[in-house]
């Protein structure tokens, strides 16, 4: 079973990203279970979106404490509360213009910075980074397929469908050659 | 049966809304409350699109919503509603009334902590506190089980003439999206005949409900409710076997997982059953003979089935995600009463695990099983960290 945590600040689209990723794995025929923090979330506060993916039905009904991969929308969240979920084996993709060395002081973590805002702006998406970050995450994890992800992004984007797909695919291709 | 169903990615709550839609209720009085609200929202979407033909009523409180449910139901309509936590508690007076009026309402409850303090986490105390109201109660662990249970519940309620409540837990089930087989309308129409009330409130028929009665007549109504609620077993088996033929999916009043030859059986309800299955598999892999017994039907309490299933089992560990102050875990206490007097009564440990929504992972359940297998049981339920 693959367990994933997506964390962002309320309003950045982490929950939407979790739903899109779940829909993509589901469309590939996988069993998925996705849930997000709820009830007390508001704009600006940390929001978690959890996802389990498996080839067989998922029975667990508990929080994910040790995800294999983390997608972080905002590098100001890369601290104790989020890193408690991580070990040195956890793949952490973070939306950041900085390079990996910048995060060395956080400890022995596998942190992969992706310039989500740069890719979004280049594709006329302003500060809407979730399509770009999903593309990079799929590229680093080698799943789900970029074809299925692009299709789901296109179906789901309320506006700027082609721009969303372009940002997603560009981010995916930038990560090819990056070793998780 | 793939031609008869569509696989969708749905949250537990949206699966419930689909179940309600497919059952074609006539009237849906409902009031929003977190974490039930997505059920109401989805049904409202269906209604706006003309996919639900029911009359939707949105009164000013859950008390009024249940009042409307009762009057609609005894007027001969098929009625669905949904609520949670404080909303269910506000209905309490009318839950007794609905059962006494023999109104076959189907209600979905999302198990959420009760105030104070205010919280939104999974906890079954809200619905368990309604256990003496005369409603049939089922507990579901997944979105699939919830949609199937809603549809089955109308069949059962309308057969026995009592209301049925199904609960699943907040967050882990209500707000988790997962694949769900949604049966076709034609399949559900085959399964669920149009509701024809035996007695109903109708200006053209000289019958009334709820008149003052003498003691002996009141006593008779309770005896009749006793017979009716105990006919749940038969009504469930009939509904479930037909459902199984149509969909390939069936359920139990209780369900046993790897209990053959088990030295220890974990007993619980709702979402924790899923996590416990993984714990059972891990413990079996380590050589410990452990099984799971899931209690799906809580009212009527299936004591005969439980006595049979747990006969000869040395050790039972009850996990309660609920708390009755001054008594402990409600399933623990009810199970002890149900097994009392058996020749080979198991020793029964009651553990308050996950109360208030505290996370319970398989490793925790494994640790508890190891800790309590050879321990002497405590008469009261114990808190676990």
């Amino acid at each position: 079973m693959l367990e994933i945590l997506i964390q962002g600040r309320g309003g950045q689209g982490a929950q939407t990203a979790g739903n899109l990723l779940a829909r993509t794995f589901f469309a590939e025929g996988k069993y998925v279970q996705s849930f997000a923090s709820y009830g007390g979330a508001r704009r600006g506060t940390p929001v978690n979106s959890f996802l389990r993916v498996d080839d067989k039905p998922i029975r667990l009904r508990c929080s994910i404490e040790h995800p294999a991969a983390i997608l972080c929308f905002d590098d100001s969240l890369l601290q104790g509360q989020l890193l408690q979920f991580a070990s040195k084996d956890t793949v952490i993709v973070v939306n950041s213009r900085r390079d990996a060395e910048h995060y060395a002081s956080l400890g022995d973590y596998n942190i992969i910075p992706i310039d989500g805002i740069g890719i979004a702006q280049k594709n006329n998406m302003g500060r809407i980074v979730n399509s770009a970050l999903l593309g990079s995450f799929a590229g680093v994890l080698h799943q789900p397929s970029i074809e299925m992800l692009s299709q789901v992004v296109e179906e789901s984007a309320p506006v700027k469908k082609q721009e969303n797909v372009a940002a997603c695919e560009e981010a995916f291709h930038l990560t090819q050659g990056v070793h998780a | 049966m793939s031609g008869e169903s569509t696989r969708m990615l749905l949250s537990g709550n949206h699966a419930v809304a689909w179940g309600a839609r497919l059952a074609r209720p006539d009237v849906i009085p409902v009031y929003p409350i977190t974490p039930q609200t997505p059920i109401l929202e989805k049904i409202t979407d269906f209604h706006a699109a003309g996919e639900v033909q029911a009359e939707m009523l949105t009164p000013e409180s859950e008390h009024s919503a249940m009042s409307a449910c009762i009057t609609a139901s005894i007027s001969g309509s098929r009625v669905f509603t949904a609520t949670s936590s404080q909303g269910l508690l506000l209905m309490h007076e009318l839950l007794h009334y609905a059962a006494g009026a023999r109104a076959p309402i189907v209600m979905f409850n999302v198990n959420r902590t009760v105030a104070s303090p205010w919280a939104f986490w999974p906890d079954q105390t809200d619905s368990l506190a309604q256990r003496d109201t005369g409603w049939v109660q089922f507990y579901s662990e997944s979105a699939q089980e919830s949609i199937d249970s809603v549809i089955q519940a109308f069949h059962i309620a309308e057969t026995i003439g009592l209301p049925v409540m199904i609960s699943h837990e907040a967050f882990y089930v209500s707000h988790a999206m997962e694949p769900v087989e949604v049966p076709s309308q034609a399949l559900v129409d085959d399964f669920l005949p149009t509701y024809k009330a035996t007695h109903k409130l109708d200006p053209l028929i000289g019958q009334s409900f709820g008149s003052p009665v003498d003691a002996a007549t009141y006593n008779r109504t309770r005896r009749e409710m006793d017979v009716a609620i105990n006919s749940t077993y038969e009504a469930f088996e009939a509904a479930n076997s037909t459902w199984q033929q149509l969909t390939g999916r069936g359920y139990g009043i209780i369900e046993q997982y790897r209990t053959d030859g088990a030295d220890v059986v974990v007993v619980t309800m709702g979402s924790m059953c899923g996590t416990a299955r993984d714990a059972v598999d891990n413990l079996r892999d380590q050589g410990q003979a452990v099984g799971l017994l899931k209690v799906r039907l809580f009212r009527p309490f299936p004591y005969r089935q439980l006595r049979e299933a747990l006969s000869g089992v040395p050790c039972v560990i009850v996990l309660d995600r609920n708390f009755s102050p001054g008594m402990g875990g409600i399933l623990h206490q009810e199970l002890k009463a149900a097994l009392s007097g058996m020749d080979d009564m198991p020793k029964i440990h009651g553990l308050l695990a996950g109360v208030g929504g505290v996370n319970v992972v398989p490793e925790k359940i494994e640790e508890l099983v190891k800790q309590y297998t050879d321990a002497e049981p405590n008469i009261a339920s114990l808190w676990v960290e």
Side-chain angles (χ1 to χ4, degrees), chain A residues 66-81:
Chain A
H66 305 291
I70 294 175
L71 176 60
C72 176
F73 271 57
D74 188 326
D75 78 342
S76 68
L77 294 167
L78 272 186
Q79 46 177 304
Q81 237 186 351

Side-chain angles (χ1 to χ4, degrees), chain B residues 33-35 84-90 109-130 170 321-325 330 355-357:
Chain B
I33 181 170
T34 302
S84 177
S85 183
Q86 306 303 115
L88 183 66
L89 302 183
L90 186 55
N109 176 62
V110 183
N111 286 129
R112 167 194 151 187
T113 47
V114 296
S116 173
W118 207 242
F120 303 98
W121 303 113
D123 188 299
Q124 295 166 332
T125 309
D126 58 355
S127 54
L128 289 172
Q130 314 310 319
R321 179 168 263 164
N322 63 78
F323 174 53
S324 171
I330 295 168
V355 174

